[in-house]
Structure formats: structure tokens, C-alpha cells
Amino acid sequence: MDLARTEVAPRKSRKESATRMGLMALPVAFFAVFFAYPVTAIVARGLKTDGAWRFGRIGEVLAQSDIRHVLWFTTWQALASTALTLLIALPGAYVFARFDFRGKQVLRAVVTVPFVLPTVVVGTAFLALVGRGGLLDQLWGVRLDTTVWAILLAHVFFNYAVVVRTVGGLWSQLDPRQEEAARMLGASRFAAWRKVTLPALSPAVAAAALMVFLFTFTSFGVVQILGGPTFSTLEVEIYRQTSEIFDLATAAVLTIVQFVAVGAILAVHAWTVRRRETALRLVAPEVTVRRPRGAGQWALLGGVLASILVLLVLPLGVLVQRSLDAPGGYGFAYYKALTSSDSGIFLVAPIAAIGNSLEYALAATAIAVVIGGLAAAALTRRTGRLVRGFDALLMLPLGVSAVTVGFGFLIALDEPPLDLRSSWILVPLAQALVGVPFVVRTMLPVLRAVDGRLREAAAVLGASPWRVWREVDLPMVRRALLIAAGFAFAVSLGEFGATVFIARPDNPTLPVAVARLLGRAGDLNYGQAMALSTILMVVCAVALLLLERIRTDRTREF
């Protein structure tokens, strides 16, 4: 009997490894062809001269004072944005984790709307609030459009939900009786929180901080719109060097620098995630959510609601207000102007960008769900360096320059058998690269929660791997699959960094159309940009509200 078991175990292990490799084959091929190849091609184009690599160019570029200023500002604003986001969002994470109040589900969706909005829309919203002729300018003559404060506040607006969902998801699983026991033993409220709750929360706080730092370190649309000529991040500088100065060597060096920095951030993030999983096994997952009690808790709830209103709702409201504030009075004049193609900016009417974006986003969603679903299934088993490396690969598109990927598409995919430069599929492929990580992060926790014995029983009864997936996994992850598709659709709809290079003038997407309208002088162009941004915001908000109604996980994480 023991001999039979030792013979079955290796066969089972080999079968599992073969299944995992089969699941990983298509995602690996997809990332190799549409991510690694374009990025390598654009870097090689910048650093190779007459067939020889010029690595000395790296030192030459980094020695330039203006490049060092870009590196300093990129790092400084990311650190400042992360600290400010944590300071403002942590009270909100506590409120959503511990308090029960009317309208909580709707408010949770409102908090998450900014995260799925395109960065171009976020920048546009804050431009309408603090820029030339904005609300603060009209009321008090205050303009922050060329100061770093506008950028920092926009980053808080964009990343507030990251902290609320990541930290709040863990906070809701901590047993409050542990902190209450410490207080009964004589500890003050602050001391009990510092010695009991904070150590358990620290992995989630670190993970949220790293994700916020990653998003702000690679910020593009927000800084491009609000920063003006004074402030530039690595991503913005890569775009400027590529599209305006045509200095591919400098752009390639900056891409390498950003790639190394993002790789380090993701490595630290993976470490914090492993720490977090260990911590979760040490605490009770059940918690009693209750209505606020006492003046202090009601004051905290009121303060969080006020901060959400001012920092998240007000910019979106001003965006809508500016889209309706036409020269002849409030109305839909700017929306009607979207149907005209006389502006000379596009070959088609700006309103055509809505249909283009929806078509591209649907195609990108289909690609992301297939690639991300296979990848999540391959990552279901946690062990092995190969699995951890594959997981890190899937996260890279969130941090590597989207500008480099987009321009790399034009450089690398322009000859047979991958001559796709004139094909419509190029835009969905670039958008799918950003959607895949969200699909994986949404489906993976649900797949890992499925009892492995169910799969084993189905396999013992003779079911093929495909039938096991169809009969066991799919019924349990169907809702997670719909949520993953919704997130992929939202982020694909708003992708800008790569699309700005590959979207054709006769088929612009909504973010590209908004950016081009903002780049042209005139109240009509500005008003149309506000109108398109409002439409894009409404579409993303509706998609997110639908997701909130169908999602079933209690942690409320991404």
C-alpha cells in the first residue's frame, strides 16, 4: 500500500505541473509577444547604434541636471502623495470596516469611482476645480493648476479607494475583542490600538502604501494635465522625449530606470502580501459591525463623510458643472457640439469616440478575461518560484511605462507576421495588458478558496482538466468572473498612455479625445473636453455600481 502511494504521488505531481504549464502557455505567449517584445524593441532602438549597444548612454542621460530633477520630483511626489493618501484614507478604512450606516453600499461605490476613472478625467476634474477659471478661481481667485498641491490632491482622489479597500478589508476581519481585552487590562485606547491592532494591520497598510506609491510613481495623465511645463514625472518625460523631441535614447534610458524601480516596488509588494497572508491566519475573520456609538464615533463618521464630499464628490460635481456652463447659459451646448466635425482636431465628430471606446473596451475585456482567467487558474496553487515569478510578470504592465508599450507597438509590430500597425486590434491588445492584472487579482482569491478536494474527486471520477474547470470551478467563480470583466472593461475604457500613440485620428478613444481637446485653446474645445469627461465618468460609475450589486466577497478588496 505504501509503495502504491509513493508511485501515485509523483504521477499526481507531474500531472498537476503539466496542467499548470498548459494553463500558463497562452498568458506567457501573450505577454512575450505584446509586452516584452515591444518594450525590448523600443529600448534596443534607443540604445543600439550601428548594431552595437551604447550602455554608456545611461550614465550620460542620468548626468543631465534636468533628468535628475525629473527623477527627484517623480520620487518626491510619489512619497508625498502616498503619505497624504494614507493620512486621509485610513480613517475612512476604519469607518467602512467597523461602522454600519444607511447608504454604506452606495458610498462604497462612490469612493471607488475615482479609482476606475481614467487619469485624464481625474486631471480634467481637478483642472475644472483649481485651474484657470475653475471654481476656486471664480470664488476666491485661488489657482493651483501649476503647483504641486493640485497634483498631490488629485493623487489622493485617485488612490483613496486603494487604502479603504485594502486596509479596510483586513480591518473588518480583526476581532475587536482583542483590543477590548487590552483596554480591560489597563491600556489606554491609543496604546491598545498601537500594540494590538496596528501590528496586525501593518502588512495591509504596507501593501496599500506600496500600491499607491506604484500608481503615483508612474503617474502620467494627472501630471501631464496639471503639471504644466514645470513638473514632469518619468512617465511624462518618456512621452515628451518620444513624441516631441524624438530622442529615443533618452526615452530608453528612462524606461530602464522606471522598469528597475517598478521591479523593486513589486518585489517588496509580493513580500508584504506573503506577510499579510500569514497574519490573516492568526486573527478571527468574524467581526460585529455596529452603528456608531457616542459623540466621538459619530464625529469620526461625519469627518470621513465630509472628506469624501470635498475630496471625491466635489471635483466630479465641478466637472459636470463646467460641462453645462456654456457661453449662452447653462445647457447642453457643449454636448451638442460633440456631434460636429468642423473643429479640425479629428477626422470625425468627437462623439464618435464614445462608440470607438466601447468597441475597443469590449474587445479588450474579452482578451483580458481569457488571458487573466487562464493565468489565475495557473496561480491557484501558491507554491513554487515559477508561480511567484509568473505572478510578478502579470503585474508588470501596471508599472512599466504605458507610453513605451504604445510606441513599442508601432516600432515592433509593423512587419509580417505581426504587421498590426494598421489593424484595429492594436488598441484592444494594449488595453488588455492593463486589464489582465485586475482580472487575476479579482479571480485568484475566489479560485484559491475552492476546496481542492472537489477537483480531486472529479479527477478521480475520470473528468478531464477542462471538465473539472467547467463543472467545479466555473459555477463557484461565475460572479467573480463577471466582476473581473467589469473591472477590465472600466480600466480598458480609460487607458491613455499606450492608446495615445496607436489610436488613429479617424478612430479616437474617449481619453485621447479629451487630451487633444484640452491641448487646443478656446472655450469650445475646453467645454467639449469637460462634456466627454463627464460622459466617460458616468459610464465608469454605472459599470462600478453594477459590480457592487453582484460582488459577494466580504473583504471588499480589488
Side-chain angles (χ1 to χ4, degrees), residues 255-384:
T255 297
I256 293 173
V257 171
Q258 182 165 304
F259 183 83
V260 172
V262 167
I265 295 170
L266 291 177
V268 176
H269 178 259
W271 176 73
T272 60
V273 167
R274 288 196 295 273
R275 281 192 61 200
R276 180 183 176 188
E277 289 176 347
T278 301
L280 280 174
R281 289 195 294 268
L282 300 177
V283 298
E286 301 297 330
V287 64
T288 302
V289 179
R290 62 194 182 198
R291 293 184 63 81
R293 295 184 301 186
Q297 292 188 355
W298 281 107
L300 176 61
L301 176 59
V304 169
L305 293 178
S307 67
I308 291 174
L309 179 65
V310 173
L311 289 174
L312 306 185
V313 178
L314 182 60
L316 299 179
V318 172
L319 182 67
V320 177
Q321 180 264 331
R322 293 303 299 270
S323 73
L324 297 172
D325 189 10
Y330 281 94
F332 295 94
Y334 290 138
Y335 291 88
K336 294 178 181 177
L338 296 176
T339 61
S340 174
S341 58
D342 298 334
S343 64
I345 301 177
F346 308 103
L347 299 179
V348 295
I351 199 170
I354 300 174
N356 295 335
S357 289
L358 292 175
E359 291 175 2
Y360 287 144
L362 287 173
T365 300
I367 298 171
V369 167
V370 172
I371 300 298
L374 291 173
L379 290 170
T380 302
R381 295 163 182 83
R382 307 166 186 264
T383 57

Side-chain angles (χ1 to χ4, degrees), residues 7-338:
E7 290 177 351
V8 169
R11 286 202 300 268
K12 180 181 175 181
S13 178
R14 286 194 296 268
K15 186 175 181 180
E16 289 181 353
S17 299
T19 301
R20 183 183 302 168
M21 294 300 295
L23 292 171
M24 291 171 56
L26 184 59
V28 168
F30 177 80
F31 275 81
V33 174
F34 298 113
F35 178 69
Y37 177 47
V39 171
T40 303
I42 193 67
V43 170
R45 181 68 64 94
L47 294 182
K48 288 184 74 173
T49 303
D50 298 327
W53 289 92
R54 296 180 56 209
F55 291 108
R57 180 61 176 158
I58 296 177
E60 297 173 5
V61 170
L62 296 180
Q64 299 175 18
S65 59
D66 55 339
I67 297 299
R68 290 201 303 271
H69 176 74
V70 169
L71 292 172
W72 173 86
F73 177 73
T74 300
T75 306
W76 181 88
Q77 64 83 26
L79 290 171
S81 297
T82 302
L84 190 60
T85 303
L86 289 174
L87 179 66
I88 295 175
L90 280 176
Y94 175 80
V95 165
F96 279 104
R98 295 299 198 200
F99 292 168
D100 182 24
F101 52 90
R102 184 175 299 178
K104 182 178 178 180
Q105 184 176 5
V106 175
L107 189 64
R108 194 192 304 275
V110 170
V111 165
T112 313
V113 165
F115 182 75
V116 298
L117 286 179
T119 55
V120 173
V121 175
V122 174
T124 305
F126 274 81
L127 189 65
L129 178 63
V130 302
R132 174 182 56 85
L135 180 64
L136 297 185
D137 190 12
Q138 293 177 0
L139 295 179
W140 299 293
V142 177
R143 289 171 55 182
L144 302 176
D145 53 316
T146 56
T147 70
V148 72
W149 276 108
I151 296 173
L152 297 182
L153 290 175
H155 284 159
V156 173
F157 171 89
F158 186 77
N159 293 290
Y160 186 93
V162 175
V163 177
V164 168
R165 286 187 176 262
T166 303
V167 179
L170 178 59
W171 214 330
S172 66
Q173 298 178 63
L174 297 181
D175 190 345
R177 291 173 297 184
Q178 297 179 359
E179 188 173 321
E180 293 170 1
R183 295 196 61 195
M184 290 182 63
L185 294 174
S188 65
R189 183 183 297 272
F190 177 73
W193 180 84
R194 179 172 58 86
K195 295 182 178 180
V196 177
T197 304
L198 183 59
L201 280 179
S202 57
V205 174
L210 282 167
M211 290 305 295
V212 173
F213 184 85
L214 174 64
F215 291 136
T216 53
F217 187 84
T218 58
S219 182
F220 177 49
V222 168
V223 179
Q224 186 189 37
I225 292 176
L226 295 176
T230 307
F231 301 109
S232 180
T233 58
L234 269 173
E235 188 83 357
V236 174
E237 188 64 20
I238 291 171
Y239 175 78
R240 191 174 73 90
Q241 295 288 340
T242 302
S243 64
E244 298 177 9
I245 304 178
F246 305 107
D247 187 351
L248 293 185
T250 299
V253 171
L254 297 180
T255 297
I256 293 173
V257 171
Q258 182 165 304
F259 183 83
V260 172
V262 167
I265 295 170
L266 291 177
V268 176
H269 178 259
W271 176 73
T272 60
V273 167
R274 288 196 295 273
R275 281 192 61 200
R276 180 183 176 188
E277 289 176 347
T278 301
L280 280 174
R281 289 195 294 268
L282 300 177
V283 298
E286 301 297 330
V287 64
T288 302
V289 179
R290 62 194 182 198
R291 293 184 63 81
R293 295 184 301 186
Q297 292 188 355
W298 281 107
L300 176 61
L301 176 59
V304 169
L305 293 178
S307 67
I308 291 174
L309 179 65
V310 173
L311 289 174
L312 306 185
V313 178
L314 182 60
L316 299 179
V318 172
L319 182 67
V320 177
Q321 180 264 331
R322 293 303 299 270
S323 73
L324 297 172
D325 189 10
Y330 281 94
F332 295 94
Y334 290 138
Y335 291 88
K336 294 178 181 177
L338 296 176

Side-chain angles (χ1 to χ4, degrees), residues 430-516:
Q431 294 174 342
L433 284 172
V434 183
V436 167
F438 287 90
V439 173
V440 174
R441 288 290 154 257
T442 304
M443 294 187 63
L444 190 55
V446 181
L447 283 171
R448 283 178 172 170
V450 177
D451 192 341
R453 292 173 295 183
L454 297 176
R455 300 188 183 101
E456 294 173 1
V460 168
L461 293 175
S464 64
W466 163 245
R467 189 173 181 183
V468 171
W469 160 257
R470 181 165 53 88
E471 300 291 343
V472 177
D473 292 274
L474 184 58
M476 296 185 180
V477 302
R478 185 178 291 113
R479 285 200 170 189
L481 187 63
L482 292 175
I483 295 167
F487 272 117
F489 178 80
V491 298
S492 299
L493 196 66
E495 204 288 320
F496 175 63
T499 308
V500 70
F501 277 98
I502 56 183
R504 296 183 300 182
D506 58 338
N507 285 295
T509 63
L510 274 170
V512 171
V514 170
R516 290 179 181 172

